[in-house]
Amino acid sequence: MHRYINAKVQLCSKIHHVPAAMMCVFFYILQASVLDYYLINFLNFLYICFLVADLFVLVALVVSIIYGSTKMDRQRSAELAQTRMMFSLSWVSWLLINMNASAKIIIIIEYNAWPLEKDPSFFGPNVFKTAIALSSCIFLFLLATQHDASLGSERRNYISDLTDNVIFDILDTVDILEVFFDKDDRALLWDGLEEVILTQATMNLLWPTVPLITLSRTHFGLDKPQRPMMYLHRLLVVLVVNIPNLLTRMVLWNGMSVDISPFTLKNIILIGIAMYEFYEHKREKLEDSRLNSLEIGNFQKKNVQRRNLGSLTDQTIKPLSKVPKISIKLKETAEKQVSEDNVESEINK
């Protein structure tokens, strides 16, 4: 019975990431297929050439998953536990996935590649937005295939700090594209604002590459992360994602009377949290420098006191050292006096 349980545990540990890998590949194929359907069915059959890019990205995704599994197996072994020569390739597959998806999204939106409002087709704007939102599922399962950090551990907390906001940022990106699916709202857009929103959406989809690169460099928390790097990452998330999205929504809301989105509160809250954490980091840094300066000052005072005590002891010892010299001089003068008296007595004789 005990052997059976051990064998079962070993089997589960070996196939631990297989379901996540299968779901990651499934959601990628589903997203790519839906976007290709919009291009081929509503625009031109020649867009079938995107299947070549889809196949290439699929191969890269499978390779990154297998490579990540191999890396974790090597890290589990006792002999290679301290050698971390392999880096994760998850950021490469994510970059390729979203470069391909962003190109399709831009083409579909630019040419309105969805059925008219009068045509009650299943593949309308809602399915298109759902296909974009599948990127959050792909990211979640791709991340799960790259590490084996246990729940509640320091590694898991570090990974969560870097990646928790990615899913909401992707959903935020889908929401900000809502303006393109309403003909009246889209007609109110200023010249160049469409390009700005599409560029912003593309940047939001590509941005998760940065935390994946950071996790790859630190071997998903096996190397001790540096706190300044964490705060810098959160500040970049605010500057790249939340502030541009918030400004765009303010322009659409106040300048064009477009309906306000609840994701506006998400942008404001995350900006406030990031600013407060940045303030806390600076305050801790100032307190540490102040404590260090106080310790240095106390150390210098102790050195001065020791020097003063040393000088006082030298002053008390030096007068005592002159006594033998004085006695020697008196002895020499006495001997001279005796010798002179002897000479005079001999002369008198």
Side-chain angles (χ1 to χ4, degrees), residues 285-301:
K285 194 173 181 180
L286 289 174
E287 288 181 356
D288 291 339
S289 62
R290 185 174 61 84
L291 291 175
N292 291 332
S293 62
L294 289 175
E295 290 178 357
I296 293 172
N298 293 331
F299 181 74
Q300 291 177 350
K301 287 181 181 179

Side-chain angles (χ1 to χ4, degrees), residues 231-239 242-243 267-283:
Y231 292 114
L232 178 62
H233 172 78
R234 292 173 184 174
L235 183 62
L236 288 176
V237 171
V238 169
L239 295 176
N242 290 293
I243 289 180
N267 299 138
I268 295 173
I269 291 171
L270 290 181
I271 291 171
I273 291 174
M275 293 297 103
Y276 182 76
E277 289 179 348
F278 188 72
Y279 157 74
E280 287 287 329
H281 171 64
K282 287 297 182 182
R283 186 173 64 85

Side-chain angles (χ1 to χ4, degrees), residues 11 18 23 33 37 53 81-82 106 160 197 203 211 226 246 252 312 336 348:
L11 178 62
V18 172
M23 294 300 295
S33 302
Y37 178 82
Q82 301 299 325
I106 292 172
S160 298
I197 296 174
M203 290 296 296
Q226 298 178 355
L246 179 62
L252 294 175
L312 289 174
K336 287 182 180 180
N348 291 329

Side-chain angles (χ1 to χ4, degrees), residues 27-306:
F27 281 121
Y28 166 71
I29 294 175
L30 180 61
Q31 182 191 55
S33 302
V34 172
L35 295 178
D36 288 340
Y37 178 82
Y38 278 90
L39 291 172
I40 297 170
N41 189 48
F42 296 108
L43 286 181
N44 196 324
F45 184 77
L46 294 177
Y47 284 107
I48 198 173
C49 62
F50 268 106
L51 292 176
V52 178
D54 295 337
L55 182 60
F56 176 77
V57 175
L58 178 61
V59 172
L61 177 61
V62 173
V63 169
S64 66
I65 292 173
I66 296 174
Y67 191 78
S69 177
T70 305
K71 178 175 68 69
M72 285 187 290
D73 291 338
R74 292 187 62 183
Q75 288 174 352
R76 290 193 197 101
S77 63
E79 296 178 356
L80 300 174
Q82 301 299 325
T83 59
R84 298 170 187 147
M85 302 300 293
M86 300 173 65
F87 291 96
S88 172
L89 296 178
S90 57
W91 65 272
V92 178
S93 59
W94 177 261
L95 182 63
L96 293 175
I97 288 171
N98 286 278
M99 287 176 63
N100 189 28
S102 297
K104 296 177 183 179
I105 292 168
I106 292 172
I107 294 172
I108 292 171
I109 291 177
E110 282 290 329
Y111 294 100
N112 298 325
W114 51 78
L116 300 175
E117 295 179 358
K118 298 180 181 180
D119 186 9
S121 175
F122 174 77
F123 289 94
N126 291 329
V127 175
F128 175 62
K129 290 184 289 185
T130 304
I132 300 173
L134 287 177
S135 294
S136 60
C137 300
I138 296 171
F139 180 85
L140 183 64
F141 289 111
L142 177 62
L143 182 65
T145 61
Q146 301 299 311
H147 70 89
D148 55 354
S150 57
L151 289 173
S153 62
E154 186 177 355
R155 281 186 63 199
R156 192 60 172 267
N157 293 333
Y158 167 65
I159 295 170
S160 298
D161 287 340
L162 286 178
T163 59
D164 275 349
N165 294 330
V166 170
I167 296 174
F168 298 103
D169 292 338
I170 294 173
L171 298 178
D172 190 4
T173 302
V174 177
D175 182 78
I176 207 169
L177 295 174
E178 183 70 29
V179 68
F180 292 111
F181 305 112
D182 191 309
K183 186 183 295 185
D184 296 332
D185 291 340
R186 189 170 184 176
L188 297 174
L189 295 179
W190 302 333
D191 293 337
L193 189 56
E194 285 190 13
E195 289 75 12
V196 171
I197 296 174
L198 289 174
T199 303
Q200 185 177 330
T202 303
M203 290 296 296
N204 292 349
L205 291 175
L206 297 178
W207 166 253
T209 307
V210 176
L212 288 176
I213 292 175
T214 305
L215 290 172
S216 176
R217 290 177 59 86
T218 58
H219 299 278
F220 287 83
L222 287 176
D223 294 339
K224 188 176 181 180
Q226 298 178 355
R227 292 185 65 186
M229 183 177 64
M230 299 285 296
Y231 292 114
L232 178 62
H233 172 78
R234 292 173 184 174
L235 183 62
L236 288 176
V237 171
V238 169
L239 295 176
V240 174
V241 178
N242 290 293
I243 289 180
N245 286 2
L246 179 62
L247 293 177
T248 302
R249 287 193 170 94
M250 291 297 102
V251 170
L252 294 175
W253 181 31
N254 295 320
M256 304 171 189
S257 299
V258 177
D259 293 338
I260 192 66
S261 170
F263 279 93
T264 305
L265 294 177
K266 171 255 182 186
N267 299 138
I268 295 173
I269 291 171
L270 290 181
I271 291 171
I273 291 174
M275 293 297 103
Y276 182 76
E277 289 179 348
F278 188 72
Y279 157 74
E280 287 287 329
H281 171 64
K282 287 297 182 182
R283 186 173 64 85
E284 291 177 0
K285 194 173 181 180
L286 289 174
E287 288 181 356
D288 291 339
S289 62
R290 185 174 61 84
L291 291 175
N292 291 332
S293 62
L294 289 175
E295 290 178 357
I296 293 172
N298 293 331
F299 181 74
Q300 291 177 350
K301 287 181 181 179
K302 289 180 180 179
N303 286 336
V304 171
Q305 290 176 357
R306 289 174 182 174

